[in-house]
Amino acid sequence: AARREDVLARLGGDEFACLSVGCLPEHANAVLKRLSQALQKASVPASLGHAMRDLAGSIPGAFQEADQAMYAHKRARKSGKTVQTNG
């Protein structure tokens, strides 16, 4: 589901990151949706979040923003709310 130029990494435990190199803002939701659908197809429950480095200012800033979005997604999933995977 990731693109050839993307960098995938295990951060620890059950946490992973996908650094989408050169991904334009208008394509970010499509990348996230593709990853979400692949995980759902494999019956892997997942909480996802994303952020754009250009908008967050730095890679660490984008990582923090994406992490916060992922935890918001996780809370919504656990509460049974309808969840969108757009960060």
Side-chain angles (χ1 to χ4, degrees):
R3 303 169 312 152
R4 188 171 297 213
E5 61 271 24
D6 293 343
V7 178
L8 301 171
R10 181 176 183 198
L11 303 177
D14 62 352
E15 294 186 0
F16 296 83
C18 175
L19 179 61
S20 295
V21 178
C23 184
L24 299 173
E26 58 267 24
H27 298 138
N29 284 336
V31 171
L32 190 66
K33 184 176 181 179
R34 199 168 52 246
L35 290 170
S36 177
Q37 289 173 339
L39 290 166
Q40 288 174 358
K41 186 176 179 181
S43 298
V44 176
S47 299
L48 307 173
H50 84 280
M52 300 299 295
R53 181 193 57 140
D54 291 348
L55 300 176
S58 66
I59 290 178
F63 178 80
Q64 183 178 18
E65 197 173 305
D67 198 49
Q68 290 171 355
M70 182 274 303
Y71 278 108
H73 185 213
K74 183 180 245 179
R75 286 190 298 276
R77 276 188 335 118
K78 286 186 176 189
S79 71
K81 294 180 182 175
T82 301
V83 178
Q84 294 180 349
T85 56
N86 62 351

